[in-house]
Amino acid sequence: MQDQTAPGRPFTGWHMLAIIVAFFAVIIGVNLWMAISAARTWTGLEVENSYVASQEFNEKLKVAHARDAAGWKGGLAYEGGALVFTLNGADGAPVDATTVEVEVHRPIGVEGDRTIILQRRPDGTYGAPIALDPGVWIAAIRASLPDAPDYEHHARLVIGGAIDPGKH
């Protein structure tokens, strides 16, 4: 009977140690890379105090349901280099707001984030010129109304034709 072992150097404990060290080096390296990437792209806090925000949520939800039941309709568009916000009552007439503020930001990152005040236009809409780079933007609109709680509207804008809005 012949010996079936392969000729050459035998597999020793040092070989096994090298394999284990290489395995864990890859795992630790990937984890470090992921942690550094996450820290560099963190956009910050959405709310200062999540407990307080959770307490306010139900009240905001009641107000939103009441406005939906009353037939209020809000909409935001990016037309001709300007943000245009419409807010209409159940009768279709524009709702008169004291101020309309829009905060625009990217879904990821903080580059290009800004807040602008929209001005009332003669047609009852609110607008202001703003240059938005192509891509996806998130807009949070707050309209202050006389003798009523603020109207809040959130919209996702897709600028340019590179991204299919149905997939986001």
Side-chain angles (χ1 to χ4, degrees), residues 14-56:
W14 289 109
H15 293 114
M16 189 65 200
L17 178 63
I19 290 171
I20 289 172
V21 168
F23 173 79
F24 282 106
V26 169
I27 298 298
I28 291 169
V30 169
N31 282 332
L32 284 173
W33 177 72
M34 298 282 279
I36 291 168
S37 295
R40 286 183 181 161
T41 60
W42 183 57
T43 60
L45 298 174
E46 286 294 320
V47 293
E48 287 294 322
N49 185 327
S50 60
Y51 177 75
V52 171
S54 70
Q55 299 300 309
E56 295 172 350

Side-chain angles (χ1 to χ4, degrees), residues 3 13 21 23 46 51 61 64-65 74 80 84 91 100 102:
D3 185 15
V21 168
F23 173 79
E46 286 294 320
Y51 177 75
L61 192 59
H65 285 309
V84 179
D91 59 357
V100 177
V102 179

Side-chain angles (χ1 to χ4, degrees), residues 95-118:
V95 174
D96 190 28
T98 310
T99 60
V100 177
E101 181 180 278
V102 179
E103 178 186 312
V104 291
H105 63 275
R106 295 282 194 172
I108 298 176
V110 294
E111 189 174 322
D113 294 3
R114 61 200 112 153
T115 301
I116 62 170
I117 304 295
L118 303 183

Side-chain angles (χ1 to χ4, degrees), residues 135-156:
V136 178
W137 292 87
I138 303 295
I141 303 103
R142 174 172 285 135
S144 298
L145 305 169
D147 303 324
D150 290 352
Y151 180 88
E152 292 186 21
H153 183 86
H154 298 271
R156 186 178 195 99

